[in-house]
Amino acid sequence: MGEQPVSRDDCDPLDAIEFQTAVLVRNLEMLCRRGDLYQEVDRAGYLLLRTLIARGPSDITCLASALGLDPSTTGRQVLAAQRAGCVTRAPGGTDRRRSVVHVTEQGINAVNAVHARRRAGTAAMLADWSEQDLRTLSDMVTRYNQAITGEFLDTDPPGGAS
């Protein structure tokens, strides 16, 4: 016989959070694979662009720090976004090796389109939730992301959402 589910009262909250986080990651990956959310820009590009929009023009090192990535990975993401017309790069002052990345109008439009689809999908899935439940989930997910950020990054979460 299979293991019986443990009631919430008998479950260690940290065990439940650990397991539900794993399920959440799987579900989010499923949404990305099965949906058409990222037509204009991929998920990595979306977070890169949201970060640039929230923070303003930035160099690769600062972007990498904000995204929790290494500079070479961030550089590849910037190059892909540049090829897609979503960002431009300009020399960064006196250091010719440094370039500053700027979001283009096309990049802003791409983020807005993805954001609208993500928001509409979330609204549809949570349509029967109360306003208080939505606020509670928002607060808890924000705190969870801030805890992760505090553990692994020296900056605010990407996208400037708080």
Side-chain angles (χ1 to χ4, degrees):
M1 282 192 149
E3 196 174 317
Q4 293 297 315
V6 178
S7 73
R8 276 182 76 161
D9 294 337
D10 297 339
C11 187
D12 174 17
L14 290 176
D15 285 343
I17 292 167
E18 178 278 325
F19 177 73
Q20 291 302 327
T21 300
V23 172
L24 178 63
V25 168
R26 184 196 63 213
N27 286 339
L28 293 174
E29 289 170 352
M30 178 181 56
L31 285 172
C32 288
R33 284 191 312 272
R34 294 186 181 176
D36 62 351
L37 292 176
Y38 300 101
Q39 295 172 18
E40 295 80 5
V41 63
D42 65 13
R43 183 174 45 177
Y46 177 73
L47 289 173
L48 174 88
L49 294 171
R50 287 283 310 252
T51 301
L52 280 168
I53 290 167
R55 296 172 179 274
S58 185
D59 65 24
I60 300 290
T61 302
C62 291
L63 274 174
S65 177
L67 294 166
L69 301 170
D70 62 81
S72 63
T73 299
T74 304
R76 287 190 299 275
Q77 289 180 1
V78 167
L79 183 58
Q82 185 177 7
R83 287 180 177 153
C86 293
V87 301
T88 60
R89 292 167 95 163
T94 58
D95 185 352
R96 296 175 80 58
R97 297 169 296 173
R98 181 176 168 262
S99 64
V100 177
V101 182
H102 301 261
V103 178
T104 65
E105 191 66 31
Q106 182 176 336
I108 292 169
N109 292 339
V111 165
N112 289 341
V114 172
H115 177 257
R117 281 192 299 279
R118 288 173 52 98
R119 191 177 194 294
T122 301
M125 285 186 287
L126 304 178
D128 62 341
W129 287 35
S130 71
E131 181 72 21
Q132 183 58 47
D133 285 346
L134 293 173
R135 289 190 188 285
T136 298
L137 178 62
S138 171
D139 291 345
M140 294 298 102
V141 170
T142 298
R143 284 180 61 194
Y144 186 67
N145 282 331
Q146 287 171 342
I148 293 169
T149 298
E151 184 71 22
F152 296 102
L153 301 180
D154 295 331
T155 65
D156 295 326
S162 57

